[in-house]
Amino acid sequence: MESTVASKLEALSKLQSIDSQLDEIKRVRGDLPEEVQDLEDEIEGYEVRVRKFDDEVAALNDAIAQRRQAIKDSEGLIRKYEDQQQNVRNNREYDAITKEIELQKLEIQISEKKIKEAHYQIEQKNSEIEETKHRLEERRKDLDNKQKELEQIVAESQEEEKKLEEERQEAASVVEDRLLSAYSRIRKNVRNGLAVVTVKRDACGGCFNTVPPQRQADIAAQKKIIVCEHCGRILSGVELRAY
Ligand SMILES: [Zn+2]
């Protein structure tokens, strides 16, 4: 059976009433869900930063270990060259070995300098890690508080929300798809979430622009679905004026 315009408008009005109640629940929750999400993102950012610093410190420690090994190797070579110097046959051989020893001493100096630099960098990184961890700790406390606050507010309205969601599904199921998508589109485009309004005091209940008498008569007749020519909201009926 084809449903009448009147029954379509009634179904839409019911849907609007349920959605407005759900909007109110969300309004009470306010920015909390978003704030919680922002804090979670911020915390994740700090955690990534700490891991990155940790990796960098580990790489610097590896470099230090390599340099230390290189120093040991150079020292071993120097001892070997000094032994060889005891048994040289001429000055030319002696000088050549002296040059090798000097070269290894230079290598040791370079390694010592690099180790010193790496230690300094590690110190810098560690203080950055400390600072980041401190901020991380603070943000975790903030998150904990906000989550508790949100949980409490959600708990207070959870039952009502669940009931409304069920009612909404039922109310939406009787609205034809084309009309339902128009309703959703209007709701998304208007600030107060009202897609279905009545004419009150000769004005659109959504944007408060005047609705001319003939148009009001058409709306009241419910022969077709009429939208406000100013804001596009569906006008479901005309509220009678109290004279
Ligand atoms: Zn309007």
Side-chain angles (χ1 to χ4, degrees), residues 197 203-209 211 227-233 235:
V197 294
C204 165
C207 69
F208 308 110
N209 277 298
V211 180
V227 299
C228 170
E229 53 190 344
H230 300 283
C231 66
R233 288 179 174 91
L235 295 163

XYZ file of all heavy atoms in Angstrom, residues 197 203-209 211 227-233 235, ligand 1:
120
model
N 10.593 20.580 10.357
C 10.077 21.594 11.282
C 8.629 21.923 10.904
O 8.151 21.556 9.836
C 10.929 22.896 11.248
C 12.329 22.647 11.778
C 10.983 23.468 9.833
N 6.036 31.559 10.388
C 7.442 31.467 9.985
C 7.934 30.018 10.023
O 7.394 29.189 10.764
C 8.300 32.325 10.908
N 8.958 29.753 9.208
C 9.600 28.437 9.223
C 10.208 28.206 10.605
O 10.918 29.069 11.120
C 10.689 28.408 8.145
S 11.860 27.050 8.304
N 9.935 27.053 11.198
C 10.456 26.748 12.539
C 11.959 26.493 12.555
O 12.556 26.341 13.621
N 12.556 26.452 11.372
C 14.006 26.214 11.317
C 14.786 27.486 11.114
O 15.751 27.755 11.828
N 14.379 28.304 10.122
C 15.153 29.506 9.806
C 14.404 30.798 10.146
O 14.959 31.885 10.031
C 15.544 29.506 8.329
S 14.137 29.727 7.207
N 13.141 30.659 10.548
C 12.310 31.792 10.998
C 11.980 32.811 9.912
O 11.564 33.925 10.200
C 12.930 32.478 12.228
C 13.244 31.501 13.324
C 14.553 31.193 13.653
C 12.211 30.851 13.998
C 14.840 30.246 14.636
C 12.495 29.915 14.980
C 13.808 29.617 15.302
N 12.165 32.404 8.650
C 11.703 33.273 7.568
C 10.195 33.072 7.390
O 9.657 31.995 7.647
C 12.435 32.927 6.267
C 13.786 33.608 6.180
O 13.885 34.829 6.172
N 14.833 32.801 6.137
N 6.598 32.340 6.003
C 6.015 31.438 5.014
C 4.682 32.052 4.576
O 3.808 32.288 5.409
C 5.786 30.024 5.622
C 5.176 29.084 4.584
C 7.104 29.452 6.160
N 9.174 21.893 1.092
C 10.333 22.338 1.872
C 10.365 23.862 1.940
O 9.796 24.539 1.085
C 11.673 21.818 1.268
C 11.718 20.292 1.261
C 11.901 22.373 -0.124
N 11.012 24.358 2.974
C 11.150 25.808 3.142
C 11.976 26.359 1.980
O 13.042 25.818 1.652
C 11.827 26.120 4.475
S 12.294 27.850 4.656
N 11.503 27.444 1.374
C 12.212 27.975 0.206
C 13.488 28.722 0.610
O 14.316 29.030 -0.237
C 11.291 28.881 -0.620
C 10.636 29.979 0.181
C 9.541 30.705 -0.627
O 9.536 30.546 -1.844
O 8.735 31.414 0.002
N 13.632 28.983 1.901
C 14.836 29.683 2.361
C 15.923 28.724 2.825
O 17.086 28.906 2.483
C 14.487 30.649 3.504
C 13.490 31.687 3.105
N 13.830 32.787 2.354
C 12.156 31.772 3.330
C 12.749 33.517 2.139
N 11.712 32.923 2.716
N 15.528 27.717 3.623
C 16.539 26.854 4.221
C 16.477 25.411 3.733
O 17.384 24.631 4.007
C 16.439 26.877 5.754
S 14.907 26.142 6.379
N 15.420 25.046 3.034
C 15.329 23.691 2.489
C 14.823 22.647 3.466
O 14.760 21.464 3.133
N 14.457 23.050 4.678
C 13.949 22.085 5.650
C 12.546 21.620 5.243
O 11.791 22.369 4.613
C 13.893 22.706 7.044
C 15.250 22.911 7.702
C 15.052 23.543 9.065
N 16.289 23.654 9.836
C 17.087 24.715 9.811
N 16.798 25.753 9.038
N 18.176 24.744 10.556
N 8.827 21.018 5.760
C 7.796 21.623 6.610
C 6.669 20.603 6.793
O 5.942 20.289 5.851
C 7.294 22.918 5.977
C 8.355 24.030 5.894
C 7.955 25.116 4.910
C 8.627 24.628 7.282
Zn 13.342 27.711 6.654
